[in-house]
Amino acid sequence: MTTFQIQQEILSLKEKNDICILAHSYIAHEITEIADFVGDSYALSVKAASVPNKTVVMCGVRFMAETVKILAPEKRVILSNSSAGCPMAEQMDTDLIKQLQEMNRGFKTVAYINTTAELKTICDVCVTSSSAVKIINAMPEQDILFIPDINLGTYIRRQCPDKNIKLVSGGCPTHCRASLKHVKAAKAAHPDALLLVHPECLPEVWEQADYIGSTSGIMEFAKKSSAKEFIIGTENSIAQHLQFECPDKKFYPLSKDLVCHNMKITTLPEVLLICKGEFGEEIEINEKTRLKAKQCIDKMIEYGG
Ligand code: 13P
Ligand code: SF4
C-alpha cells in the first residue's frame, strides 16, 4: 500500500470506529497529516479534556497518553506504541523527590508535564514549556522546587527573577545533544538565519537564540516572521513540518543529532493497525493515582488558561 492509501484507510476507520487521533508535533509528518489535532504538550492536554470521541489515540510518548487518560477517564486511551517512553519523564524517582520536599519544606513542587502520572501525585502544579513562565508568575508562592528539567528550570529562573526556584539535575537527552559548537557551525553556514531554540536545550545554546520557546512557539514565530531563513534548535521534525508549511522559507536543523527516537517509534502502518484494534497499548491508571495526578494538571489549566 502507498502512504496515501494507508492514510485514506486510517481516515475512514477513524470515522467508522469513533476514534480521535492526537499527535505531538515531533511525530512524523505523514501521521500529523491524518491527525485530528497536532500540537505541543500544553495544547494536547487542553484538547484531551474536550475530545468528543469514545477512543483517543495518542501518537506521542507515554506521559502524553497518561495525561489524556487523567483528564478523560471515560475514554479508551491508546498509546501509539508501548515502547514510546520519554527518558526525561522517567528519570525522576518518587522517593528522591519526596526527600527533596522534606529538605525544602514550604516549597511548592512544580513539575514539567514530562513526568509520570505517579510522580505527578506528589507535585502541586504542572507546567509545559509554553506555559511555565506565565504559571510560575501567577502562583502566589515564592519558593518553588522545579522538576525535572534543569535547562528549562534555568530559563524559567531567568524569566521569573522574583521567585526563589530550586532545580534538580534532570533533562531531555535529545535536546541536550545540541551544543555551542553546533550553534557556531550553523551560524557560520547560515549567517542570515534566525536561531529559534527550545528551552530544553542547554543554556549555552538558548543564550545565543533570537527566539526561545516551545515547539508551537517556534512554529508560530517562524511562520509570522518576515525573515526567510531559520536554524531550528529543537527536535528535527519541526524543521521538516515548517518546510512543508512554508515552502518559500528555509529551515536548517541546528544539529542532525536532534532526533527523539521515542517519537520516531510510531509509524503510519502502526496507526492503521491501531485503528483496526490490532496494535497500541490501552492506558490504565488506578483511580486514586488519577485523581491526585489530576489536581496538578487542573492547576496548570487554571493558571495557564
Ligand atoms: P513542548 O511540546 O511543550 O514544546 O515540549 C517538547 C517536548 O520535548 C515534548 O516531549
Ligand atoms: Fe522526552 Fe526529550 Fe523526546 Fe520530548 S524530545 S519526548 S522530552 S526525550
Side-chain angles (χ1 to χ4, degrees):
M1 274 170 103
T2 64
T3 298
F4 180 72
Q5 287 167 330
I6 300 174
Q7 287 178 324
Q8 290 307 111
E9 195 165 343
I10 292 172
L11 290 174
S12 85
L13 281 171
K14 200 159 77 66
E15 182 84 27
K16 185 171 149 229
N17 297 334
D18 195 22
I19 296 172
C20 168
I21 299 182
L22 300 181
H24 188 270
S25 16
Y26 290 164
I27 286 283
H29 192 79
E30 59 198 29
I31 299 176
T32 61
E33 282 179 331
I34 50 87
D36 294 278
F37 185 78
V38 184
D40 67 2
S41 307
Y42 185 77
L44 288 173
S45 318
V46 174
K47 190 75 189 169
S50 64
V51 160
N53 311 70
K54 277 206 303 267
T55 301
V56 178
V57 175
M58 171 53 79
C59 296
V61 292
R62 182 170 297 275
F63 79 82
M64 295 173 179
E66 283 184 351
T67 305
V68 178
K69 188 68 184 176
I70 290 167
L71 293 172
E74 70 291 353
K75 298 191 189 302
R76 275 184 77 230
V77 177
I78 312 290
L79 170 61
S80 51
N81 188 309
S82 60
S83 308
C86 165
M88 166 146 66
E90 284 148 29
Q91 70 197 178
M92 288 284 136
D93 177 63
T94 312
D95 287 337
L96 170 79
I97 300 304
K98 280 184 184 162
Q99 276 175 24
L100 288 173
Q101 289 172 330
E102 267 305 305
M103 289 159 57
N104 295 284
R105 284 171 180 241
F107 279 62
K108 287 282 172 192
T109 307
V110 175
Y112 194 20
I113 198 156
N114 299 40
T115 39
T116 60
E118 194 59 42
L119 191 52
K120 287 185 178 83
T121 63
I122 59 161
C123 298
D124 299 296
V125 186
C126 256
V127 297
T128 65
S129 52
S130 59
S131 62
V133 170
K134 181 177 178 191
I135 291 173
I136 290 179
N137 274 327
M139 288 172 67
E141 295 84 4
Q142 290 300 109
D143 297 331
I144 285 158
L145 175 65
F146 181 78
I147 62 165
D149 188 342
I150 196 165
N151 299 324
L152 173 63
T154 304
Y155 173 70
I156 297 168
R157 213 189 228 169
R158 297 230 186 132
Q159 299 296 310
C160 306
D162 299 338
K163 302 278 174 171
N164 174 29
I165 303 176
K166 285 207 174 175
L167 306 175
V168 292
S169 83
C172 163
T174 300
H175 286 86
C176 284
R177 281 184 212 126
S179 67
L180 189 55
K181 227 172 82 185
H182 292 116
V183 172
K184 286 184 179 159
K187 283 193 171 197
H190 310 291
D192 296 330
L194 295 182
L195 174 64
L196 318 185
V197 176
H198 198 286
E200 283 178 21
C201 288
L202 298 168
E204 66 180 33
V205 173
W206 52 248
E207 276 165 354
Q208 305 300 318
D210 297 290
Y211 172 82
I212 305 168
S214 72
T215 49
S216 319
I218 288 176
M219 290 181 85
E220 267 164 47
F221 182 94
K223 284 184 215 168
K224 284 188 190 148
S225 170
S226 56
K228 291 283 172 209
E229 292 182 60
F230 304 87
I231 300 161
I232 303 297
T234 188
E235 215 279 340
N236 285 346
S237 50
I238 299 300
Q240 253 179 36
H241 297 320
L242 280 167
Q243 198 59 73
F244 270 105
E245 289 183 43
C246 313
D248 57 323
K249 296 182 176 179
K250 289 222 173 319
F251 299 94
Y252 312 106
L254 172 58
S255 154
K256 65 173 179 26
D257 300 331
L258 274 172
V259 174
C260 175
H261 297 288
N262 287 280
M263 286 285 186
K264 297 292 172 276
I265 290 174
T266 298
T267 64
L268 188 69
E270 282 173 1
V271 178
L272 176 56
L273 290 177
I274 295 168
C275 293
K276 292 178 176 173
E278 296 169 9
F279 199 75
E281 177 187 330
E282 180 165 359
I283 298 293
E284 307 279 2
I285 301 177
N286 79 57
E287 192 58 5
K288 197 167 154 224
T289 302
R290 187 188 77 79
L291 288 173
K292 286 216 83 181
K294 185 171 181 292
Q295 286 176 354
C296 72
I297 299 177
D298 285 345
K299 278 266 172 235
M300 170 181 87
I301 295 172
E302 183 189 318
Y303 284 127

